[in-house]
Amino acid sequence: MAITRLNTNAFGTSVNLASNVTGTLPAANGGSGRTAVTGNVLQVVSTAKTDSFTTTATSDTAVTGLSLSITPSSSSNKIFVIFTGNTSCDNSNSYYGAMSIYRDSTRIVGGQTGATSGSTRIDNVNSGMSILDSPSSTSAITYQLYIKSEGNSSTVRINATSGVVADEKAVITAMEIAG
Amino acid sequence: MTDIIKAILKINPNAKVTVNANDTNQITWHEGTTPIPVADIEAKMAELPTEEEEAAQKETDAASGKQKLKDLGLNDAEIKALTGA
């Protein structure tokens, strides 16, 4: 490979790579070594929760330990957000539980938790939601899982307080995708 | 381990409450629910069966109920059709 030597006299004693150089820096010079193309994953942020969270609240309640912050490198990039985890709802009174992912204060996707109909038994089932979000921002964004009960004191739960499931873990993950 | 929120709902069936990590120090009360003292919650928890005890009791009840149905003359297929187990 040919070596290009910059004439630093043209820029002073050093070259400001941010303002004087365009294109993609080689990995050896601190760059990624390639140019991101649409669909490339640029960064991944993930948070896991291993203890339980239960609520009877009928309005969206932030789940402790299931939030993350990610800062897009370009406003045209997208954020692919995924939640997976064991959820349940004691809905002996035919009520159910709801879960949502918020981008800061905006609800961007919702779903229903695991549940057992017509019984006081609580079923803990693996649940998930995902969304390809377009935040149109280069500021830090917080994605947070919320849950709520639909009413009548039905108990909605993330992770069991005890049981046979080993290594139980609820996870929220965000990936920045080049737009 | 006894579920804290079960104990709370035994004391106040209409409580709107959140419990993180099944920890009495991480209880949040919602929608105007009057907070219950931790000592009262712990006392109720001591009265309730643990989740392990509840699960064991359910298994015992299921086996007992199945045997009673067999004693009435039902076979396994009929019992399964009726109970799903």
Side-chain angles (χ1 to χ4, degrees), chain A residues 49-70:
Chain A
K49 178 179 178 64
T50 55
D51 54 20
S52 65
F53 186 90
T54 54
T55 190
T56 58
T58 56
S59 57
D60 282 340
T61 302
V63 178
T64 304
L66 277 177
S67 70
L68 57 80
S69 178
I70 188 169

Side-chain angles (χ1 to χ4, degrees), chain A:
Chain A
M1 176 181 172
I3 297 173
T4 301
R5 189 178 298 279
L6 296 172
N7 177 3
T8 55
N9 291 333
F11 304 101
T13 55
S14 62
V15 177
N16 184 328
L17 295 178
S19 60
N20 300 134
V21 177
T22 58
T24 302
L25 283 175
N29 295 90
S32 65
R34 62 180 177 80
T35 301
V37 297
T38 301
N40 280 175
V41 175
L42 303 179
Q43 60 172 317
V44 180
V45 181
S46 188
T47 300
K49 178 179 178 64
T50 55
D51 54 20
S52 65
F53 186 90
T54 54
T55 190
T56 58
T58 56
S59 57
D60 282 340
T61 302
V63 178
T64 304
L66 277 177
S67 70
L68 57 80
S69 178
I70 188 169
T71 305
S73 56
S74 166
S75 60
S76 62
N77 291 346
K78 300 181 188 308
I79 306 294
F80 187 45
V81 189
I82 308 157
F83 163 72
T84 60
N86 290 337
T87 66
S88 65
C89 177
D90 168 6
N91 69 335
S92 56
N93 299 303
S94 298
Y95 285 78
Y96 57 92
M99 55 186 181
S100 305
I101 295 173
Y102 277 63
R103 181 211 315 128
D104 295 326
S105 59
T106 303
R107 182 172 179 268
I108 54 172
V109 64
Q112 185 173 338
T113 64
T116 303
S117 180
S119 165
T120 56
R121 186 165 60 95
I122 298 171
D123 267 5
N124 196 35
V125 299
N126 196 259
S127 312
M129 294 184 292
S130 64
I131 186 168
L132 186 60
D133 189 30
S134 301
S136 301
S137 171
T138 55
S139 300
I141 299 163
T142 298
Y143 290 97
Q144 165 82 57
L145 186 79
Y146 284 71
I147 60 173
K148 70 172 181 177
S149 166
E150 287 297 312
N152 217 1
S153 294
S154 293
T155 304
V156 186
R157 187 182 310 268
I158 301 286
N159 289 339
T161 49
S162 63
V164 298
V165 181
D167 302 325
E168 193 167 18
K169 198 176 279 186
V171 181
I172 186 168
T173 301
M175 302 181 191
E176 182 185 4
I177 309 293

Side-chain angles (χ1 to χ4, degrees), chain B residues 3-83:
Chain B
D3 201 348
I4 291 172
I5 213 160
K6 282 185 183 173
I8 290 170
L9 292 174
K10 288 287 183 187
I11 298 169
N12 177 3
N14 297 314
K16 299 292 182 278
V17 62
T18 294
V19 181
N20 186 50
N22 205 36
D23 180 351
T24 52
N25 295 312
Q26 298 187 59
I27 298 173
T28 306
W29 304 94
H30 304 283
E31 301 170 41
T33 300
T34 302
I36 299 169
V38 170
D40 293 356
I41 296 169
E42 289 174 341
K44 182 57 71 177
M45 287 170 68
E47 294 174 12
L48 296 174
T50 65
E51 291 192 348
E52 291 80 4
E53 289 168 340
E54 280 190 342
Q57 186 60 50
K58 279 176 187 166
E59 282 191 20
T60 302
D61 290 346
S64 171
K66 190 172 180 180
Q67 186 56 51
K68 286 174 182 171
L69 290 173
K70 279 187 174 179
D71 292 344
L72 289 172
L74 278 70
N75 62 35
D76 285 341
E78 291 167 332
I79 292 170
K80 188 171 184 179
L82 284 173
T83 67

